[in-house]
Amino acid sequence: MSPSTVTHRVQFLRHPHPGFPHLMAWGIRIDGTDLRVLVAEATRALWSRELDEDDYTLRESEESLLGQHAPLYLDQDADGARARAHFTGDSPPELRDSDTGASCLLGCPCGIDACWPLLAMVRATPTEVVWSGFHQPNRPEWGRLPLGPYVFPRPAYDEALAAPVPLTEDPLAPLLGEGQP
């Protein structure tokens, strides 16, 4: 890492998948903020060009922005080995863009992660892990999203990945209208 590189803090979370509570998902916080919140901010203006604001209340618009992605469900990952490989750049083919090699960091709320993924390049070295080039492959006209690059010191990244924070529910559940009439 160069002395001028800004480093970030990552936290991995394990909680019930928002759409399928019987499945455990991998959530992500960067510098204490849920990645889905960062994506909502990065795509707000892009969505406003596509959606008719008269069709949604402010609350519905915010729920839609926050709920456009879901934490990843990495099946058959009781010991976290699949997540460790995935989040250090060794993603399985179904969670990797075959053209660019970008990895899926967030999936689709429908439960099929690759349906509406948030992709980014994940580069791991012995000293750091870098996430860059965030994009939504289903909206190529959006180009690269104004997120990152995020540089994480490798030892702290590995520690966070080895000991994800266990939660009893999705931390964004109240903001997504879950459990509300």
Side-chain angles (χ1 to χ4, degrees), residues 11-15 25-29 34-36 71-72 87 105-106 164 171:
Q11 188 176 45
F12 293 95
L13 315 170
R14 292 285 284 155
H15 56 78
W26 285 85
I28 301 167
R29 288 184 183 142
D34 195 292
L35 182 55
R36 292 170 293 169
L72 288 182
F87 289 116
L105 295 180
L106 291 174

Side-chain angles (χ1 to χ4, degrees), residues 72-87:
L72 288 182
Y73 166 63
L74 299 171
D75 62 342
Q76 302 172 1
D77 194 35
D79 66 356
R82 187 166 186 213
R84 284 190 296 280
H86 177 75
F87 289 116

Side-chain angles (χ1 to χ4, degrees), residues 134-149:
F134 289 83
H135 65 282
Q136 171 44 260
N138 296 316
R139 291 292 190 278
E141 65 275 15
W142 287 2
R144 287 194 174 182
L145 299 176
L147 287 169

Side-chain angles (χ1 to χ4, degrees), residues 138-162:
N138 296 316
R139 291 292 190 278
E141 65 275 15
W142 287 2
R144 287 194 174 182
L145 299 176
L147 287 169
Y150 297 109
V151 178
F152 308 106
R154 182 66 186 261
Y157 187 94
D158 288 342
E159 286 175 26
L161 193 50

Side-chain angles (χ1 to χ4, degrees), residues 2 7 12 17 21 35 40 43 45 55-56 60 92 108 112 145 148 165:
S2 71
T7 61
F12 293 95
H17 190 284
L35 182 55
T43 59
D55 290 342
Y56 298 95
E60 290 169 334
C108 185
I112 301 170
L145 299 176
V165 176

